Amino acid sequence: MARQDFKPSTMLSPVPAVMVSCGTMEKPNIITIAWTGTINSDPAMAYISVRRERFSHKLIKDSGEFVINLTTANTCRATDFCGVRSGTSVDKFKKCNLTPIKSKTLSAPSIAQSPLSIECKVKEIIPLGSHDMFIGEVKNISVDENYIDEKGRIRFDKFKLISYAHGQYFQLGKSLGHFGFSVKKNSTKKRQREERK
Amino acid sequence: MARQDFKPSTMLSPVPAVMVSCGTMEKPNIITIAWTGTINSDPAMAYISVRRERFSHKLIKDSGEFVINLTTANTCRATDFCGVRSGTSVDKFKKCNLTPIKSKTLSAPSIAQSPLSIECKVKEIIPLGSHDMFIGEVKNISVDENYIDEKGRIRFDKFKLISYAHGQYFQLGKSLGHFGFSVKKNSTKKRQREERK
């Protein structure tokens, strides 16, 4: 079990690769962000870390708003494009055939082609070095009705979510179990043993 | 493209589900964390958000150290177990057949069965509500030598990394493209057109 040491770098993976929409309905922009995550459950909070020189950095800082749009196999090409091109030179919504739609709680638009959009208001900006971390409090979540079943449940399993690891986008593969499966199995076994008695 | 609104919650997904090791070689513990991510590239920094009532919260707060161990299909059961059980009542390393190994820069151990471990020193603790966010600076990365090829490259593709979404663990599936594929394709096409002239 020998190990080899490597110098510090950003190797945490897999990570999300979300499309963050910002600006306004009239002048919307999108930036793809992998340095993102949930940071608090109650109240629900999420962060995005953005390089100061990015066009969206100023938009988000000035407005205090951003929307995290989940990404899927269907929007993978757009996700990649919005990470490598700058909104200073191209209208990313137009270029990627994406549609800005009104958010419920923000002036910043959401992306119609995303199955689930998380509207966030900036609570704090923490400068860390290359990136500023925007701490966002979740204000609303909107879901494409095509992904809500008759019982009102969000069908995450139909989203075709993508993940990002070592420079590649991946579709989620085989399910390996539900949260709690490592302890549920035993109780199920026990119950079955009891039932057999 | 109608949308339905939902109240704020923690729906960002997929997210990582890493095993965070803490404590000491003599009294090690593990806590599984999904509220984690990279927050800065230079210097490399990562965070974990931990509920104050968790056993590991005190260990990490007191020592100022934690290790993010990437998780795989092989350690999925242990990953789940270390998320639902508390270190107050069980030795998770023993129970999960995991081996604590010395980290290079910390007193906190790394996990031998993880292909890649990220050693972090706590720079700041930010209370957010239900969770405290531990901001960590990456001090060293250690990789299982079985995943390093003859050319010295880390073979991430052999890790069988897992991701967490809507209450389930997933193995990464089909690759949908490398970072930059959305703009590379065009230039390749252009070059091919040029070559045909």
Side-chain angles (χ1 to χ4, degrees):
Chain A
M1 294 201 259
R3 312 277 288 190
Q4 191 173 312
D5 293 312
F6 290 81
K7 66 178 196 319
S9 67
T10 57
M11 289 200 189
L12 176 47
S13 58
V15 289
V18 299
M19 286 195 282
V20 170
S21 46
C22 52
T24 59
M25 283 295 289
E26 294 70 40
K27 267 197 158 278
N29 193 40
I30 306 171
I31 178 172
T32 297
I33 299 276
W35 300 170
T36 182
T38 295
I39 53 175
N40 196 58
S41 298
D42 185 21
M45 296 171 78
Y47 83 101
I48 56 171
S49 282
V50 185
R51 283 185 189 272
R52 269 180 297 282
E53 56 268 34
R54 294 296 297 258
F55 181 53
S56 294
H57 184 282
K58 188 177 156 46
L59 296 181
I60 297 167
K61 195 179 173 196
D62 289 352
S63 67
E65 298 181 352
F66 63 91
V67 182
I68 294 173
N69 301 274
L70 301 192
T71 53
T72 67
N74 298 332
T75 59
C76 187
R77 176 172 291 271
T79 301
D80 184 62
F81 186 86
C82 294
V84 293
R85 286 291 183 259
S86 172
T88 50
S89 55
V90 59
D91 180 337
K92 295 187 193 176
F93 273 97
K94 246 185 208 151
K95 183 76 182 174
C96 298
N97 291 314
L98 297 173
T99 318
I101 49 170
K102 276 196 176 179
S103 299
K104 188 188 171 199
T105 61
L106 312 177
S107 300
S110 297
I111 302 175
Q113 286 75 11
S114 172
L116 188 151
S117 303
I118 302 165
E119 303 172 17
C120 299
K121 282 209 174 158
V122 176
K123 282 205 65 166
E124 207 181 329
I125 303 173
I126 302 177
L128 295 171
S130 55
H131 290 63
D132 282 352
M133 180 167 52
F134 292 85
I135 305 265
E137 188 167 329
V138 179
K139 292 298 180 183
N140 185 57
I141 287 171
S142 80
V143 178
D144 181 339
E145 285 190 347
N146 292 314
Y147 295 99
I148 300 174
D149 68 15
E150 324 78 53
K151 292 181 175 170
R153 290 175 305 203
I154 302 172
R155 295 301 301 267
F156 284 97
D157 55 311
K158 307 271 188 202
F159 282 9
K160 295 192 206 156
L161 288 168
I162 59 173
S163 196
Y164 186 68
H166 49 91
Q168 279 179 76
Y169 308 92
F170 292 91
Q171 209 172 315
L172 294 188
K174 198 172 61 164
S175 169
L176 299 174
H178 281 80
F179 177 77
F181 81 92
S182 66
V183 294
K184 257 185 214 141
K185 279 251 168 105
N186 284 332
S187 61
T188 308
K189 274 184 214 158
K190 200 173 161 187
R191 200 185 61 234
Q192 287 170 339
R193 269 202 310 273
E194 294 296 324
E195 285 169 357
R196 259 182 265 126
K197 277 181 189 172
Chain B
M1 294 199 260
R3 314 275 290 186
Q4 191 174 311
D5 293 312
F6 290 82
K7 64 181 196 319
S9 66
T10 57
M11 289 199 186
L12 176 47
S13 58
V15 289
V18 299
M19 284 195 282
V20 170
S21 46
C22 52
T24 60
M25 282 297 287
E26 294 71 37
K27 267 198 158 280
N29 193 38
I30 306 171
I31 178 172
T32 297
I33 298 276
W35 297 172
T36 182
T38 295
I39 53 174
N40 196 58
S41 298
D42 185 22
M45 297 171 78
Y47 85 101
I48 54 170
S49 283
V50 186
R51 283 184 189 272
R52 269 180 299 281
E53 56 268 32
R54 294 298 295 258
F55 181 54
S56 295
H57 184 282
K58 187 177 155 50
L59 297 180
I60 296 167
K61 195 179 171 193
D62 289 352
S63 66
E65 298 181 352
F66 63 91
V67 182
I68 293 172
N69 302 274
L70 301 192
T71 53
T72 67
N74 298 331
T75 58
C76 186
R77 178 172 288 271
T79 301
D80 184 63
F81 186 86
C82 294
V84 292
R85 286 292 184 255
S86 171
T88 50
S89 55
V90 60
D91 180 336
K92 295 188 193 177
F93 273 98
K94 249 189 206 148
K95 182 77 182 173
C96 298
N97 292 315
L98 297 174
T99 318
I101 49 171
K102 276 197 177 180
S103 298
K104 190 189 170 198
T105 61
L106 311 178
S107 302
S110 296
I111 302 175
Q113 285 75 12
S114 172
L116 189 150
S117 302
I118 304 166
E119 302 172 16
C120 298
K121 284 210 171 156
V122 176
K123 284 204 64 168
E124 207 181 329
I125 304 174
I126 302 177
L128 295 171
S130 56
H131 291 63
D132 281 351
M133 180 166 54
F134 291 86
I135 304 266
E137 188 165 328
V138 180
K139 292 298 180 184
N140 185 58
I141 286 169
S142 81
V143 178
D144 180 340
E145 285 190 347
N146 292 315
Y147 295 99
I148 299 174
D149 68 15
E150 325 78 53
K151 292 182 176 169
R153 290 175 304 202
I154 303 172
R155 294 300 301 268
F156 284 96
D157 54 314
K158 308 270 189 204
F159 283 7
K160 296 193 206 155
L161 289 168
I162 59 172
S163 196
Y164 187 68
H166 48 92
Q168 279 180 75
Y169 307 92
F170 292 91
Q171 208 171 316
L172 295 188
K174 198 172 64 164
S175 168
L176 299 174
H178 281 81
F179 176 78
F181 81 91
S182 65
V183 294
K184 256 183 212 140
K185 280 246 167 111
N186 283 333
S187 62
T188 307
K189 275 185 212 157
K190 199 173 161 186
R191 200 185 61 235
Q192 286 170 340
R193 271 202 308 273
E194 293 296 323
E195 283 170 359
R196 259 183 264 123
K197 277 180 192 174

